[in-house]
């Protein structure tokens, strides 16, 4: 797979897209990347040192799940759909922030899935020449509402 633009597979609009590249998508996994830089999509979220606070790890993993879903939908001609993060388990980060200049690689692997619910293990690594340094991990649970459910959730009960 050639590197693709992550924004093409997410229902988000700038500046809320936090990923740049789609490296690989398989039946049960996805791998995306982003550079922590004033020139990247992360620029609005960087602190005074040009670093990204580690608590963004949850959203980076969630958006990688969104890319997985959007890529699979695109194979059937569907546009990206809104998904919901239900929660996370055992989310750990070994650094307080992702340093300026770091290239983050975010991978997700499906643990289970039914029609609307799914659970993914996510890992964030800092890409290095000799190897990748794992700096965050956790399991996220997601829900894919249908159009009627989405309307009820965002606009309230329709009479």
């Amino acid at each position: 797979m050639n590197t693709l633009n992550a924004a093409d597979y997410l229902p988000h609009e700038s500046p809320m897209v936090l990923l740049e590249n789609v490296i690989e998508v398989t039946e049960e996994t996805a791998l995306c990347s982003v550079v922590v830089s004033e020139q990247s999509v992360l620029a609005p979220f960087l602190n005074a040192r040009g670093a990204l606070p580690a608590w963004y790890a949850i959203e980076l993993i969630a958006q990688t799940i969104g890319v997985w879903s959007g890529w699979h939908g695109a194979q059937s001609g569907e546009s990206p759909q809104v998904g919901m993060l239900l929660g996370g388990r055992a989310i750990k980060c070994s650094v307080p922030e992702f340093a300026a200049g770091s290239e983050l690689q975010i991978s997700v692997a499906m643990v289970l899935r039914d029609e609307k619910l799914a659970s993914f293990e996510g890992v964030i690594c800092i890409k290095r020449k000799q190897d990748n340094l794992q700096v965050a991990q956790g399991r996220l649970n997601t829900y894919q509402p249908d159009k009627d459910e989405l309307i009820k959730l965002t606009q309230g009960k329709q009479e």
Side-chain angles (χ1 to χ4, degrees), residues 16 34 36 55 65 70 78 110-111 113 116 140:
M16 297 314 297
V34 64
V36 180
W55 49 267
I65 294 168
E78 297 175 15
M110 185 190 316
V111 176
R113 178 175 174 237
K116 295 183 179 184
L140 298 186

Side-chain angles (χ1 to χ4, degrees), residues 17-122:
V17 174
L18 302 185
L19 301 172
E20 292 173 329
N21 300 307
V22 179
I23 299 168
E24 180 180 44
V25 179
T26 71
E27 192 63 33
E28 296 184 353
T29 68
L31 177 62
C32 295
S33 68
V34 64
V35 175
V36 180
S37 160
E38 290 289 341
Q39 290 73 43
S40 80
V41 297
L42 296 177
F45 310 104
L46 303 180
N47 63 24
R49 290 178 298 288
L52 183 71
W55 49 267
Y56 278 93
I58 295 170
E59 184 62 19
L60 292 169
I61 294 170
Q63 286 195 19
T64 303
I65 294 168
V67 165
W68 176 88
S69 179
W71 187 89
H72 283 283
Q75 305 314 299
S76 304
E78 297 175 15
S79 60
Q81 302 297 310
V82 171
M84 298 187 169
L85 175 62
L86 296 179
R89 293 185 57 105
I91 299 168
K92 298 177 184 172
C93 197
S94 62
V95 295
E97 62 187 17
F98 304 115
S102 299
E103 180 180 347
L104 305 179
Q105 291 194 333
I106 306 95
S107 62
V108 297
M110 185 190 316
V111 176
L112 62 91
R113 178 175 174 237
D114 68 12
E115 290 182 20
K116 295 183 179 184
L117 295 170
S119 184
F120 287 82
E121 287 288 340

Side-chain angles (χ1 to χ4, degrees), residues 125-145:
C125 293
I126 295 175
K127 186 175 180 182
R128 303 189 304 186
K129 289 181 183 180
Q130 67 278 17
D131 62 0
N132 292 337
L133 175 65
Q134 182 176 314
V135 292
Q137 66 182 30
R139 181 177 291 187
L140 298 186
N141 301 315
T142 62
Y143 181 73
Q144 183 74 59

